[in-house]
Amino acid sequence: MNERTIELTDIAPKDFWGAQDSHLETIKKYYPKLKIVARGTTLKAFGEKELLDEFEKRFKRLMLHFSRYNNIDDNVIERVIQSDSNVEQMNPSDKILVHGVGGKLIKAMTPNQQKLVDYMAKNDMVFAIGPAGTGKTYTGVALAVKALKEKQVKRIILTRPAVEAGENLGFLPGDMKEKLDPYMQPLYDALRDMIPPQSLEDYIAKGIIQIAPLAFMRGRTLDNAFVILDEAQNTTHSQMKMFLTRMGKNAKFMITGDPGQVDLPRRTISGLKEAVLILKNVEGVGIIYLDDKDIVRHRLVKKIIEAYKSIENHD
């Protein structure tokens, strides 16, 4: 009897096999002549070679579907296993960036967000500048996850300058990770929308996804990575220069920030504002400005920003 071993790569087995292995049991029904056994991330099938070849080909299509869409069900299993054609191809005109957790479709929601997507396709380094709620970070994380899924990069690195907005990290309880995790929470939140929990845990444990304060970037060369510097308005001149010069081979850098929310000490020049002036004519660097029209949070956020602007303009 012939044996075939298939490994689930970058897929959480609990999600793929289904509750009480329901998806696995459905798959088995289509191959009654094979003995199929799954343990953890490993599947073994026993039977005739021709049938094993067909099974492996269609099972790998199922894995590809799950990697792309983050879910499978009985209908998908039936369609993929019984179809003679290759797994459905993405329509080039389809603007979906990532199929998130629970089938959530993540895509650019405004013309400027789409412009950000287009700029990132054409440039290796892009500055995305605009007020809170304009989707800079969220769109950036979606692009990073897309690049990882499509194997354009080997890892995602998300970083922020650890400037305390009214709090001192030294007085917070816990070790350094516990102190920094709340500060990095927006980055975790975006990732949780796009990657199933177990897969995300595995990515972080293996270092495929890294979330760290900007100081941890010093001395590193970042190759084969999609790197996002968030809250870049809070970088100093030396921090920004240090970060930009970490760029290695086959790397994509996105720098996001809101020049209107600088938390640096008075008279300290924002590294973001300075970098945009210095690099505005450098080929391969894209700069996109988002504005109030791109705010995709609660409708009140836009009104709140406008109200504050009117007061600040009268000061």
Side-chain angles (χ1 to χ4, degrees):
M1 187 178 285
N2 297 286
E3 177 183 334
R4 197 67 50 89
T5 301
I6 306 170
E7 288 289 332
L8 298 185
T9 312
D10 296 331
I11 291 174
K14 186 171 68 174
D15 298 327
F16 188 81
W17 302 132
Q20 280 89 48
D21 288 343
S22 58
H23 298 156
L24 178 62
E25 293 305 317
T26 301
I27 293 167
K28 286 180 178 180
K29 287 175 186 174
Y30 290 97
Y31 292 94
K33 294 182 179 179
L34 294 180
K35 182 185 178 185
I36 299 170
V37 180
R39 284 197 178 87
T41 60
T42 304
L43 178 138
K44 290 190 175 184
F46 305 87
E48 293 182 6
K49 184 181 180 302
E50 292 78 10
L51 195 54
L52 286 173
D53 288 343
E54 182 199 322
F55 170 74
E56 183 174 10
K57 180 175 71 173
R58 294 176 189 272
F59 187 80
K60 285 183 174 177
R61 286 184 195 170
L62 270 180
M63 289 168 58
L64 180 61
H65 180 99
F66 188 89
S67 294
R68 182 180 288 164
Y69 299 110
N70 277 330
N71 70 344
I72 57 171
D73 56 27
D74 288 356
N75 291 331
V76 169
I77 293 168
E78 179 183 7
R79 189 171 73 246
V80 172
I81 286 179
Q82 293 195 326
S83 170
D84 289 327
S85 62
N86 286 330
V87 70
E88 61 267 39
Q89 298 295 311
M90 289 289 283
N91 185 337
S93 65
D94 195 343
K95 299 296 185 183
I96 295 165
L97 298 176
V98 177
H99 287 76
V101 175
K104 182 176 183 178
L105 303 182
I106 296 166
K107 55 187 175 180
M109 302 293 287
T110 70
N112 276 336
Q113 287 181 11
Q114 184 57 49
K115 204 186 234 185
L116 173 55
V117 173
D118 297 339
Y119 271 39
M120 209 65 233
K122 295 173 188 169
N123 300 280
D124 287 336
M125 182 179 290
V126 172
F127 288 80
I129 297 162
T134 50
K136 307 179 298 294
T137 303
Y138 198 80
T139 303
V141 171
L143 285 167
V145 171
K146 181 175 188 284
L148 184 68
K149 280 179 173 285
E150 294 176 356
K151 303 196 185 312
Q152 296 168 13
V153 297
K154 293 181 179 176
R155 55 190 172 147
I156 295 171
I157 299 171
L158 307 176
T159 186
R160 284 179 148 198
V163 174
E164 307 92 335
E167 289 189 28
N168 191 315
L169 291 176
F171 291 99
L172 293 174
D175 60 21
M176 183 56 75
K177 185 179 185 300
E178 289 168 330
K179 289 176 181 181
L180 287 166
D181 272 358
Y183 189 73
M184 301 292 178
Q185 200 61 50
L187 302 173
Y188 285 111
D189 289 344
L191 286 168
R192 285 189 188 107
D193 266 7
M194 302 173 200
I195 301 175
Q198 188 58 54
S199 296
L200 180 55
E201 272 185 41
D202 292 344
Y203 279 142
I204 292 172
K206 292 174 184 173
I208 295 169
I209 294 179
Q210 301 171 26
I211 304 175
L214 182 57
F216 285 36
M217 299 299 111
R218 194 172 297 281
R220 300 179 67 183
T221 300
L222 306 175
D223 295 327
N224 300 307
F226 196 116
V227 187
I228 300 175
L229 170 57
D230 195 33
E231 300 286 341
Q233 74 275 5
N234 288 327
T235 58
T236 62
H237 162 88
S238 60
Q239 285 176 324
M240 179 60 82
K241 185 179 176 186
M242 177 274 290
F243 173 76
L244 296 179
T245 54
R246 299 307 93 202
M247 195 173 201
K249 295 174 184 174
N250 189 40
K252 286 274 193 181
F253 270 38
M254 181 180 286
I255 299 95
T256 71
D258 176 5
Q261 290 191 339
V262 176
D263 294 319
L264 293 166
R266 289 173 70 85
R267 295 190 181 86
T268 302
I269 296 170
S270 166
L272 176 64
K273 293 179 181 179
E274 184 184 53
V276 168
L277 291 172
I278 293 170
L279 302 176
K280 63 182 179 182
N281 295 319
V282 174
E283 189 177 346
V285 175
I287 301 172
I288 172 81
Y289 291 90
L290 298 97
D291 55 34
D292 298 357
K293 293 190 288 294
D294 298 298
I295 291 172
V296 291
R297 291 181 181 170
H298 193 284
R299 57 190 174 79
L300 276 176
V301 173
K302 185 175 178 180
K303 293 180 181 179
I304 289 166
I305 289 173
E306 288 170 352
Y308 269 90
K309 262 189 184 173
S310 66
I311 292 170
E312 288 160 1
N313 291 337
H314 284 99
D315 285 350

